[in-house]
């Protein structure tokens, strides 16, 4: 293998690409189907400005890569992406298993990470609103916003 899979083009010009899936199924759901049917393939997954690859042999996730992430961290990251486009490549170049965890654990961890990110983003938005209100001397509104946030969380 000359380079990593992420150096390939997004247009699917790979010789053995079999199709593109987008819009109606998540990466997690699709991989569960592949596990059930014990398929061997490589999935090129694209979401917004990110891309990554999941290597699957006989239904088991062998390895993953996206950007600087490799292995389990990359798989968890990819499984948490939304609005994805999945390109199915009918072969799997990886021979060695780099991911030791079961698929179910990877999916649960990806969902947990995604939920935590949403919570942190929402919390930061609420706190930023309260800070802006306080900076404009709207202390009562700021206090109510912070109080409501602290009671809820």
């Amino acid at each position: 293998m000359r380079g990593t899979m992420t150096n390939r083009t997004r247009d699917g010009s790979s010789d053995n690409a079999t199709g593109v899936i987008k819009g109606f199924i998540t990466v997690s759901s699709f991989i569960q189907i592949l596990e059930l049917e014990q398929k061997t393939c490589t999935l090129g997954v694209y979401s917004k400005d990110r891309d990554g690859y999941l290597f699957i042999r006989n239904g088991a996730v062998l390895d993953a890569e996206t950007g600087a992430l490799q292995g389990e961290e990359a798989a968890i990251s990819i499984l948490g992406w939304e609005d994805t486009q999945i390109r199915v490549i009918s072969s799997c170049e990886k021979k060695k298993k780099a991911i030791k965890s079961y698929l179910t654990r990877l999916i649960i961890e990806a969902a947990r990470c995604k939920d935590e990110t949403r919570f942190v983003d929402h919390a930061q938005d609420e706190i930023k609103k309260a800070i802006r209100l306080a900076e404009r001397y709207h202390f009562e509104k700021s206090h109510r916003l912070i109080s409501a946030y602290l009671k809820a969380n």
Side-chain angles (χ1 to χ4, degrees):
M1 190 162 86
R2 283 181 291 239
T4 64
M5 290 291 289
T6 53
N7 291 334
R8 294 192 181 179
T9 59
R10 279 185 169 227
D11 64 359
S13 59
S14 175
D15 295 338
N16 56 359
T18 58
V20 175
I21 301 164
K22 60 182 177 180
F24 66 94
I25 191 167
T26 64
V27 179
S28 300
S29 298
F30 190 67
I31 287 183
Q32 287 175 320
I33 293 168
L34 296 175
E35 180 184 45
L36 182 66
E37 295 185 1
Q38 304 239 334
K39 298 291 183 178
T40 297
C41 63
T42 299
L43 299 180
V45 183
Y46 313 102
S47 175
K48 299 173 187 159
D49 59 345
R50 303 175 290 194
D51 63 339
Y53 290 87
L54 292 162
F55 303 94
I56 299 159
R57 182 173 307 287
N58 298 326
V61 181
L62 295 180
D63 201 357
E65 57 186 47
T66 179
L69 299 177
Q70 296 283 324
E72 196 169 308
E73 288 179 335
I76 290 169
S77 175
I78 293 169
L79 291 171
W81 293 351
E82 294 180 346
D83 302 322
T84 58
Q85 178 179 350
I86 304 168
R87 179 163 305 282
V88 180
I89 303 167
S90 61
S91 65
C92 178
E93 296 177 4
K94 298 286 182 167
K95 303 290 184 206
K96 193 174 178 183
K97 187 170 176 76
I99 297 176
K100 305 296 183 209
S101 298
Y102 291 105
L103 179 60
T104 305
R105 185 195 167 289
L106 294 173
I107 291 171
I108 290 170
E109 185 67 20
R112 184 186 65 76
C113 290
K114 189 165 67 170
D115 287 345
E116 285 178 358
T117 302
R118 283 185 187 149
F119 175 76
V120 168
D121 291 344
H122 176 70
Q124 288 177 348
D125 289 344
E126 292 296 310
I127 292 170
K128 285 179 184 177
K129 284 180 194 174
I131 290 170
R132 282 193 299 268
L133 286 168
E135 288 173 342
R136 288 184 272 152
Y137 302 104
H138 297 284
F139 297 119
E140 275 188 44
K141 290 180 184 176
S142 177
H143 181 265
R144 275 187 292 212
L145 195 58
I146 291 172
S147 295
Y149 171 76
L150 291 174
K151 285 178 185 175
N153 300 299

